[in-house]
Amino acid sequence: MESQNTVTRLPRLGEPAPAFDAETTHGRLKLEDFRGSWLVLFSHPADFTPVCTTEFIAFAEIADDLQKRNVNLLGLSIDSTYSHIAWVRTIEEKFGVKIPFPIIADLNKEVATAYGMIMPGESTTETSRAVFVIDPEGVTRAMIYYPLTTGRNMDEILRLIDALRTHDEHKVATPANWRPGDKVIVPPPKTAEDAAARMSEGYECTDWFFCKKAL
Ligand code: BEZ
């Protein structure tokens, strides 16, 4: 028998990110509002929870670094705008940290469902710790999912954005544990002729398929 359930097509890398038009702590915001800049759309399980509080403080701490890279932050949870406002006011009062970015109040789970942020195996009432990196053309470029009990690493989010921007600008790839300033990977040759030529093209090659260069 055919399922009566509506099948949601989840985001996929390299495809347009799901559109949204959502209530936030900074008024209504649509995906199109972020055209021309990068967007880090991230979900957290719930307001007024300790791990989420540490993450919000950590996101606020990298907000300037993200702005320098033309990246906007947008949070989301299945809580009301009133709850979000109360929580960010508490964070400012108790921790001395101002939360500068908007937060979607996704009470009807519309955005969370479109982005596959809810992991029913963990919770049906809370979003997981998901991060979507959306480029200036609205394309999903990276996705990270963390469980409810593990706070995310802000250095990795910055590193990921730097790696994506480096790829876009220089058409290169970045190796494991790459940091800005490290050597990058030259895309391997795609023909036997190019492979034969690769070792004498001035790159730092260990073999024809494994060449690095400094930027
Ligand atoms: C927290 O943010 O502390 C948290 C939220 C949901 C489940 C577990 C921890």
Side-chain angles (χ1 to χ4, degrees), residues 45-46 49-53 126 129 148-149:
T49 51
V51 177
C52 299
T53 301
E126 300 162 306
R129 301 184 192 278
L148 298 178
T149 50

mmCIF file of all heavy atoms in Angstrom, residues 45-46 49-53 126 129 148-149, ligand 1:
data_model
loop_
_atom_site.group_PDB
_atom_site.id
_atom_site.type_symbol
_atom_site.label_atom_id
_atom_site.label_comp_id
_atom_site.label_asym_id
_atom_site.label_seq_id
_atom_site.Cartn_x
_atom_site.Cartn_y
_atom_site.Cartn_z
ATOM 1 N N PRO A 45 18.455 22.631 20.268
ATOM 2 C CA PRO A 45 17.309 21.874 20.801
ATOM 3 C C PRO A 45 16.254 22.735 21.478
ATOM 4 O O PRO A 45 15.058 22.571 21.205
ATOM 5 C CB PRO A 45 17.951 20.893 21.784
ATOM 6 C CG PRO A 45 19.353 20.730 21.298
ATOM 7 C CD PRO A 45 19.744 22.052 20.712
ATOM 8 N N ALA A 46 16.674 23.633 22.352
ATOM 9 C CA ALA A 46 15.668 24.403 23.091
ATOM 10 C C ALA A 46 16.314 25.585 23.803
ATOM 11 O O ALA A 46 17.494 25.528 24.179
ATOM 12 C CB ALA A 46 14.980 23.514 24.130
ATOM 13 N N THR A 49 18.530 26.061 27.907
ATOM 14 C CA THR A 49 19.207 24.797 28.210
ATOM 15 C C THR A 49 20.715 25.084 28.237
ATOM 16 O O THR A 49 21.181 25.984 27.516
ATOM 17 C CB THR A 49 18.878 23.709 27.163
ATOM 18 O OG1 THR A 49 19.111 24.249 25.871
ATOM 19 C CG2 THR A 49 17.443 23.233 27.274
ATOM 20 N N PRO A 50 21.473 24.347 29.050
ATOM 21 C CA PRO A 50 22.862 24.772 29.280
ATOM 22 C C PRO A 50 23.803 24.650 28.073
ATOM 23 O O PRO A 50 24.569 25.577 27.793
ATOM 24 C CB PRO A 50 23.317 23.893 30.448
ATOM 25 C CG PRO A 50 22.324 22.794 30.554
ATOM 26 C CD PRO A 50 21.042 23.289 29.970
ATOM 27 N N VAL A 51 23.779 23.494 27.379
ATOM 28 C CA VAL A 51 24.706 23.349 26.244
ATOM 29 C C VAL A 51 24.378 24.406 25.179
ATOM 30 O O VAL A 51 25.271 25.055 24.614
ATOM 31 C CB VAL A 51 24.647 21.919 25.646
ATOM 32 C CG1 VAL A 51 25.559 21.816 24.431
ATOM 33 C CG2 VAL A 51 25.030 20.876 26.680
ATOM 34 N N CYS A 52 23.077 24.606 24.916
ATOM 35 C CA CYS A 52 22.657 25.615 23.930
ATOM 36 C C CYS A 52 23.122 27.003 24.349
ATOM 37 O O CYS A 52 23.516 27.817 23.506
ATOM 38 C CB CYS A 52 21.138 25.616 23.769
ATOM 39 S SG CYS A 52 20.488 24.054 23.180
ATOM 40 N N THR A 53 23.104 27.271 25.636
ATOM 41 C CA THR A 53 23.559 28.582 26.112
ATOM 42 C C THR A 53 25.045 28.764 25.806
ATOM 43 O O THR A 53 25.463 29.820 25.317
ATOM 44 C CB THR A 53 23.273 28.723 27.627
ATOM 45 O OG1 THR A 53 21.862 28.574 27.835
ATOM 46 C CG2 THR A 53 23.739 30.062 28.160
ATOM 47 N N GLU A 126 12.303 18.590 19.776
ATOM 48 C CA GLU A 126 13.465 19.476 19.748
ATOM 49 C C GLU A 126 14.218 19.257 18.438
ATOM 50 O O GLU A 126 14.269 18.141 17.927
ATOM 51 C CB GLU A 126 14.423 19.152 20.895
ATOM 52 C CG GLU A 126 13.825 19.298 22.271
ATOM 53 C CD GLU A 126 14.654 18.563 23.318
ATOM 54 O OE1 GLU A 126 14.902 17.348 23.135
ATOM 55 O OE2 GLU A 126 15.044 19.201 24.295
ATOM 56 N N ARG A 129 21.322 19.571 16.712
ATOM 57 C CA ARG A 129 22.261 20.685 16.512
ATOM 58 C C ARG A 129 22.750 20.627 15.068
ATOM 59 O O ARG A 129 23.812 20.068 14.772
ATOM 60 C CB ARG A 129 23.424 20.569 17.496
ATOM 61 C CG ARG A 129 22.955 20.587 18.938
ATOM 62 C CD ARG A 129 24.103 20.576 19.929
ATOM 63 N NE ARG A 129 23.559 20.309 21.261
ATOM 64 C CZ ARG A 129 22.998 21.221 22.055
ATOM 65 N NH1 ARG A 129 22.930 22.475 21.643
ATOM 66 N NH2 ARG A 129 22.509 20.898 23.223
ATOM 67 N N LEU A 148 22.063 16.011 20.536
ATOM 68 C CA LEU A 148 21.574 16.941 21.556
ATOM 69 C C LEU A 148 22.617 17.241 22.632
ATOM 70 O O LEU A 148 22.682 18.357 23.146
ATOM 71 C CB LEU A 148 20.324 16.351 22.238
ATOM 72 C CG LEU A 148 19.109 16.094 21.336
ATOM 73 C CD1 LEU A 148 17.980 15.466 22.156
ATOM 74 C CD2 LEU A 148 18.633 17.379 20.677
ATOM 75 N N THR A 149 23.429 16.232 22.953
ATOM 76 C CA THR A 149 24.279 16.373 24.140
ATOM 77 C C THR A 149 25.697 16.884 23.852
ATOM 78 O O THR A 149 26.517 16.965 24.771
ATOM 79 C CB THR A 149 24.391 15.005 24.845
ATOM 80 O OG1 THR A 149 24.739 14.027 23.860
ATOM 81 C CG2 THR A 149 23.082 14.615 25.512
HETATM 82 C C1 BEZ B 1 21.374 21.442 26.467
HETATM 83 O O1 BEZ B 1 21.420 22.378 25.649
HETATM 84 O O2 BEZ B 1 21.946 21.487 27.541
HETATM 85 C C2 BEZ B 1 20.622 20.216 26.095
HETATM 86 C C3 BEZ B 1 19.473 20.320 25.299
HETATM 87 C C4 BEZ B 1 18.775 19.170 24.977
HETATM 88 C C5 BEZ B 1 19.225 17.935 25.434
HETATM 89 C C6 BEZ B 1 20.391 17.855 26.182
HETATM 90 C C7 BEZ B 1 21.096 18.999 26.514
#
